Structures are given as structure tokens and as C-alpha cells.
Amino acid sequence: MRDTQQRVVLARIPVGVPVPEDFQLVEAEVRQPGPGEFLARAVYLSLDPYVRSAIAGRHLGHGSSATGDLVPGRSVCRIVASRHPAYPEGAWVLMETGWQQYAVSDGRDVRRLDPSLGPLSASLGVLGMPGLTAWAGVMTIARARAGETLLVSAASGAVGSTAGQLARLAGCRTVGLAGSAEKCAVVREKFRFDACVDYKQEHWREELSHATGRHVDVYFDNAGPPLLDAALDVLALRGRVVLCGLIGQYNTGIPNTVALAPLIRKRAQVFGLVVYDHEATFEDYLRRASRWLAEGQIAYHEDRSDSLASAPAAFHRLMSGRNVGKSIVVVSAEDEEG
Ligand SMILES: NC(=O)c1ccc[n+]([C@@H]2O[C@H](COP(=O)([O-])OP(=O)(O)OC[C@H]3O[C@@H](n4cnc5c(N)ncnc54)[C@H](OP(=O)(O)O)[C@@H]3O)[C@@H](O)[C@H]2O)c1
């Protein structure tokens, strides 16, 4: 057992898109578990857009951070020492660790992972919170039906790619919006969307009209304005809009305005989605998604970085839209599944 570990703390409060200089890698002590606690080694750290809002104190349940604070984040971990009867040594768990190699827990807000349900790293994406977010938005809230067209932004990301694939399985035609030709190729080829529009190309609004036939039954919004305005323009009469994310404003905190007139004209229904409301449906979703993954009916794509020291650069990539797929940091390569 190691006595010291690496952790990443805030060197200063980021302004705008976080850059690597906002973070600092430091050495820290590894606390040993007391009675009723266990010590876990982080293997895969999840990088998520909400962490940007959390640092700024703009995310549900998070106070704002100060210089020197551990950066928040959840990891797939292996238990390396335990004094907790329900969490034996060797078990796999998903828990809040922050950006560090080891963390002690008393079991609260910890999920035991079953490696037979799929690759453990997928517990951070398609088989985890982003997957449940997609399931809740597409199936529980929008109730997407066969024959409908679903449009989703950030379509190559963990939530967007899963949303499109779940809609395909429900019999929908699927169109993605993504920020590069490379992302669109992944969306079409790996995630099997019917079409994907690169919104950084000059004539993308025309392409969007063409790809959707200007008849989008469900828009799954991960980005907010200005993509939301473009999506409302091609929304069908009585279309449904699921508001899932506003990544376009997480870096600044400054709300972008959206024109509301199309919502009235189209008699649209708009739904806000918070994944935490849907936790009771997680086990059901996990069983289905694990089977679909094993059968090759759904796929996932990871944007991996290879050490805790690379987390700040990877987070910069995520928050500037340069990740392709679920952003993951491999913190402990020796624990990785073969
Ligand atoms: N409501 C909930 O409960 C809930 C739960 C989980 C996630 N979410 C939200 O779902 C969305 C997707 O999350 P994810 O984990 O799957 O991550 P992700 O899609 O990998 O998120 C990053 C992507 O967002 C896109 N993006 C659009 N505008 C951007 C901008 N101005 N700056 C940077 N990136 C921009 C980029 O893709 P393109 O280049 O393709 O646009 C980027 O690659 C996020 O908004 C997240 O906050 C919401």
C-alpha cells in the first residue's frame, strides 16, 4: 500500500474555458480506512461537463470551489483495503473520488459494479449516468416512437451517441449535430445514425434542413443556443424538445438567449431533464443496455488519456469541444481489465 499519492487541485479559479495552468498536480497522503470504511484505488476517472459548472458553484448540490481544492469527479475504482462488510477488498465500485489516485469511503453514494455486465470503463458512459440520461430523455420523457425523427446535439459524446442509438432501437430516424467531420464520421459509422451535420461547416443550416426534411419530432438538446435555435427552426408541428445540457454556456455562466416564437408557432412541448430524477429506472436500463452492448446493437467510443497528470489537458479538450466520445482518464493502468 502506498503512503502518498498524486492528486490534482485548483491552482486558480478558471475563467472561460479551463486551461491546464488552472490546475496543479500535488503529492498528498493516502488516508487509511477506519472502522466501517474502505480504501479505493481509482482506475478510470470520468471527465464530465458538469465539473466545469461545479467548480464555479453552478451545479446542483455543489458549493463553489477555492484555490487548492481537490477537483471533483467520479471514478471506477478497485477496493484495495476494507473495514466495511459490504465492500470487500477486490470489489469494483463507482464513487466520488475527485481527481486523485486513492479515496476513502464509508459506502454512501457508492455503486457496486458487476464486471459481467460489460467493460468497467463503460460504467462512466453508456452503462452509467450518461446512458441513463439518454434513456430518460428519449424513452421516459420524449417517448420517442417508431417512424419519428430524432435530432440530437453533441451527437458523438456519451449522452448524445447513446440517445441516438436508443432512438434507432425504438425505430426512429436519427440525425446528429456534431462539431467536426471526424465526429460526424464516428456518429454515422460507429453509432449508425442516418445522418450527421457538421455545424462548423459554412452551409450547415441548409444541410440540417435537408437531413431532417424540416420535420424533427424530438430534439434532444445537449448544447443550448445557438444550436437550439437552429433545431427549433426544423422542429415539426407539436414537436418535443428535451433540454438536457447547456454546454455552450458552462464556461462563461452567461446565458445565451433563444428566440421563443418558434415554440409557440410549432405548438411545441419543452421538457427539462435532470438525470437524478430517474435513478429508480437505472437497474432496468442497465440490464437492457448491457444486453444491447453484448449483442452489438449499441456501441460506445472513448476519448482516453493515460495518466492523472494528463487530466487537466483532457478537461481542456472536453470543454473546448475537442474530445471525440466519452472523456476518460486511465489513472491506474495496472488495474485495467485485460
Ligand atoms: N440534464 C442532465 O441531467 C445531464 C446529465 C448528463 C449530462 N448532461 C449534459 O449532456 C451534455 C453532453 O454531456 P456528455 O457527458 O455526453 O459530454 P460530451 O457530449 O462529450 O460534451 C462535450 C461536447 O459538447 C459539445 N459542445 C457544444 N457546444 C460546445 C461549446 N460551446 N463548448 C464546448 N463543447 C461544446 C462538443 O461536441 P460538438 O463539437 O459535437 O458540438 C463537445 O465535444 C452536456 O451538456 C452535459 O452537461 C446533462
Side-chain angles (χ1 to χ4, degrees):
M1 188 62 47
R2 297 253 306 272
D3 295 333
T4 60
Q5 62 163 327
Q6 292 184 325
R7 51 171 29 191
V8 178
V9 299
L10 280 173
R12 62 188 186 199
I13 301 301
V15 176
V17 177
V19 293
E21 295 71 32
D22 295 330
F23 304 91
Q24 191 186 2
L25 189 68
V26 297
E27 284 281 312
E29 204 184 303
V30 176
R31 182 165 84 72
Q32 298 308 310
E37 292 183 331
F38 62 83
L39 176 68
R41 178 158 57 220
V43 179
Y44 302 112
L45 167 68
S46 182
L47 298 184
D48 294 272
Y50 80 82
V51 170
R52 175 66 186 93
S53 306
I55 289 171
R58 294 193 294 260
H59 188 71
L60 288 175
H62 280 263
S64 51
S65 301
T67 301
D69 283 357
L70 180 66
V71 183
R74 290 173 77 76
S75 303
V76 168
C77 302
R78 184 138 217 194
I79 296 180
V80 291
S82 181
R83 298 179 68 187
H84 192 306
Y87 294 95
E89 198 177 316
W92 289 92
V93 290
L94 177 64
M95 59 183 250
E96 177 69 32
T97 52
W99 291 14
Q100 61 182 349
Q101 292 175 305
Y102 292 89
V104 169
S105 169
D106 60 7
R108 249 176 300 170
D109 294 327
V110 171
R111 183 152 68 78
R112 278 287 291 270
L113 298 176
D114 177 354
S116 73
L117 291 177
L120 286 161
S121 64
S123 310
L124 301 176
V126 65
L127 298 184
M129 181 276 284
L132 178 64
T133 305
W135 175 254
V138 173
M139 303 307 293
T140 310
I141 295 178
R143 298 174 182 270
R145 295 182 289 270
E148 292 190 319
T149 295
L150 177 134
L151 173 69
V152 57
S153 49
S156 68
V159 174
S161 62
T162 310
Q165 294 180 93
L166 296 176
R168 166 172 47 77
L169 291 179
C172 296
R173 184 165 185 281
T174 53
V175 181
L177 279 164
S180 72
E182 182 196 2
K183 288 182 180 185
C184 278
V186 172
V187 169
R188 276 191 305 263
E189 287 153 28
K190 189 160 190 181
F191 299 129
R192 294 189 274 158
F193 280 48
D194 294 291
C196 184
V197 175
D198 172 2
Y199 68 88
K200 294 195 176 152
Q201 288 300 309
E202 199 184 340
H203 300 294
W204 70 276
R205 294 287 294 255
E206 289 91 321
E207 239 189 89
L208 181 63
S209 290
H210 179 71
T212 58
R214 301 188 61 77
H215 186 104
V216 169
D217 298 287
V218 177
Y219 174 51
F220 192 116
D221 182 30
N222 285 317
L227 294 185
L228 176 56
D229 295 271
L232 294 184
D233 184 45
V234 294
L235 195 72
L237 203 60
R238 298 195 171 75
R240 287 100 78 200
V241 179
V242 178
L243 299 180
C244 174
L246 284 169
I247 192 163
Q249 73 177 51
Y250 292 169
N251 288 319
T252 60
I254 302 165
N256 292 325
T257 52
V258 58
L260 296 175
L263 291 171
I264 298 175
R265 221 171 34 243
K266 308 243 169 139
R267 289 78 159 171
Q269 294 184 72
V270 181
F271 304 89
L273 160 57
V274 174
V275 66
Y276 308 131
D277 297 344
H278 299 270
E279 271 162 15
T281 65
F282 181 68
E283 287 304 322
D284 174 43
Y285 168 69
L286 179 60
R287 303 275 149 200
R288 293 171 195 253
S290 155
R291 182 167 40 89
W292 288 327
L293 198 58
E295 292 170 354
Q297 299 204 58
I298 57 175
Y300 65 100
H301 194 80
E302 292 178 343
D303 188 299
R304 285 189 172 214
S305 311
D306 62 3
S307 67
L308 193 61
S310 62
F315 193 56
H316 172 70
R317 273 210 316 280
L318 173 68
M319 295 314 298
S320 48
R322 285 192 280 121
N323 63 309
V324 184
K326 170 66 206 167
S327 207
I328 283 176
V329 177
V330 181
V331 180
S332 171
E334 68 267 29
D335 284 303
E336 275 200 273
E337 314 137 89

